[in-house]
Amino acid sequence: MTATDPALTALSQGWCALSLLHGRIEAHIERALQARHDLSVREYSLLDVLSRQHDGDGGHLQMKQVADAVVLSQSATTRLVTRLEDRGLLERYLCPTDRRGIYTNVTPAGLELLTRARPTNDTALREALDEAAVNPELAPLVRAVETLKTSVPA
């Protein structure tokens, strides 16, 4: 394969289209969450992921698992947790079975904010997908997103 290979060019164009769709969706959701709830997309995602924890076996996430779920480095995730903790939306505590482990839970205030922000997130996502669907290059990707039936990785 060479740099001018049509297969590589098509692959590159597909990747660019996917990146464009992601960027548009994220920017649209970011504006809505910031305006209505003073939350970034990353903050919302972190609250959402942590709100799904449970007390059953393996129900609490370690920081590496949280970082993977919100697609951030561990250090960026730690900084994000600290910011939300400072706002009273998260709290950290020591793992009861491994004193080296630190877990993070959403506080009642964080759950309340998440409950209020979830419809904003969902509406903004729908709006962004609808806007992108009119673009012939993005429409197939929008259809793919709409038909995916996957669970959120823990």
Side-chain angles (χ1 to χ4, degrees), residues 18 45 47 54:
L18 182 59
S45 295
L47 288 172
H54 57 84

Side-chain angles (χ1 to χ4, degrees), residues 61-81:
L61 303 174
Q62 296 174 346
M63 196 56 71
K64 181 182 180 341
Q65 294 169 302
V66 174
D68 289 345
V70 295
V71 194
L72 289 173
S73 68
Q74 279 189 258
S75 61
T77 302
T78 299
R79 289 190 301 273
L80 185 58
V81 165

Side-chain angles (χ1 to χ4, degrees), residues 46-47 50 80-92 104-107 110:
L46 181 63
L47 288 172
L50 291 174
L80 185 58
V81 165
T82 299
R83 281 199 313 268
L84 292 178
E85 188 178 34
D86 290 346
R87 290 175 59 184
L89 303 174
L90 296 177
E91 59 189 1
R92 291 183 230 207
T104 306
N105 269 340
V106 182
T107 64

